Amino acid sequence: MSTAFVSALGISLAVSVTAHAAPDEPAPQIKHHAFGLDRAAAHDSLGRDTTVGSALPVQLGAIGAPPAAYSLRQYALPAGDQGPVGSCVTWATGYTGYGVLMNEQQIAGDPMAPMFIYAQIAQGNDQGTYAGVALPLEQQQGIDTKADYWQGDFDYTTQPDAKERANATHYKLSGALDLTKGDIVTNIKKAIASGLPVPFGFDARKASKTWTAPTTITTPRPARKSWAATRSPSSPTTRKA
């Protein structure tokens, strides 16, 4: 079963940011695309409600039955690249999810830095995570902007410094709603119609680690599976706290 979460963003103030002076980061030699959803922990979390805070609807008029079709694509950022690091959960929530919410509400500062969250979780041990860990951190601490976060997209060891932590507090989630309780499909539709992005996890072919675009799958035989997280651009609206 897939695990889905909705996240809504509450931001205290828009701030101007001066980026750290840092040497140019060399282009990473990407040999494969990593997965990173902790499947066992995500599965275990289905037995409890992992909601944190309050996921504030962006489209306040979206009540009742969801529409037949609705899209948040116009608010989505360009696709990011997690490279060979198992940080897909924080890219799904901290990059794409935040991007949709901030663009929908015309909040300046994006894109955000997924490694601000993942480095704190990994602490140098790249074993992935799940939304039940990442989203509470984003609600309690916020997340730094890419412009301010000098460590880049692939350093899961170096921890955020005091300046980055201070800047992150301006970008706290109001909350995240666990959609796995009740009718999951209807819950997802209603969340998207209310302007909230929905990250979800799914089984993926091992071969997808080395895909390059375009790729066509022609073998129907059963595939070995890994666990990945992705994000569904929806139309999010978030209130300023």
Side-chain angles (χ1 to χ4, degrees):
M1 180 180 293
S2 297
T3 303
F5 297 85
V6 172
S7 55
L9 177 66
I11 294 181
S12 55
L13 291 172
V15 296
S16 59
V17 175
T18 301
H20 279 264
D24 292 338
E25 184 177 6
Q29 299 298 313
I30 306 300
K31 296 182 179 180
H32 67 275
H33 310 292
F35 300 128
L37 179 62
D38 186 336
R39 181 179 183 181
H43 179 77
D44 290 344
S45 74
L46 295 175
R48 63 183 187 278
D49 189 342
T50 58
T51 295
V52 294
S54 177
L56 305 174
V58 178
Q59 305 296 338
L60 297 180
I63 58 175
Y70 195 81
S71 175
L72 298 177
R73 185 179 297 273
Q74 67 268 36
Y75 304 110
L77 295 170
D81 185 0
Q82 74 184 71
V85 182
S87 54
C88 60
V89 171
T90 56
W91 278 89
T93 59
Y95 177 82
T96 299
Y98 262 83
V100 170
L101 292 167
M102 293 175 72
N103 289 337
E104 195 176 21
Q105 298 174 87
Q106 299 182 352
I107 297 171
D110 68 337
M112 312 310 281
M115 296 306 290
F116 174 85
I117 296 294
Y118 188 65
Q120 295 184 68
I121 297 171
Q123 299 283 325
N125 185 19
D126 184 23
Q127 296 296 316
T129 188
Y130 73 109
V133 174
L135 288 169
L137 287 176
E138 292 164 7
Q139 192 243 351
Q140 296 160 12
Q141 297 185 16
I143 187 170
D144 197 15
T145 63
K146 274 204 171 193
D148 188 56
Y149 194 72
W150 59 268
Q151 293 91 325
D153 293 336
F154 309 108
D155 182 352
Y156 52 85
T157 300
T158 306
Q159 297 300 295
D161 61 30
K163 180 178 180 295
E164 292 164 337
R165 290 180 183 275
N167 192 51
T169 62
H170 298 289
Y171 303 96
K172 291 184 178 182
L173 286 182
S174 64
L177 177 64
D178 185 344
L179 300 181
T180 62
K181 307 303 178 281
D183 186 335
I184 296 178
V185 173
T186 297
N187 291 344
I188 292 173
K189 289 180 178 180
K190 286 183 175 180
I192 292 174
S194 69
L196 300 175
V198 181
F200 59 94
F202 61 94
D203 281 318
R205 289 173 178 261
K206 286 284 188 181
S208 63
K209 284 189 174 184
T210 55
W211 280 351
T212 56
T215 299
T216 302
I217 299 175
T218 58
T219 54
R221 63 177 179 269
R224 292 184 300 162
K225 295 178 179 179
S226 291
W227 201 249
T230 189
R231 46 274 183 192
S232 170
S234 38
S235 73
T237 308
T238 55
R239 297 176 181 173
K240 296 182 180 179

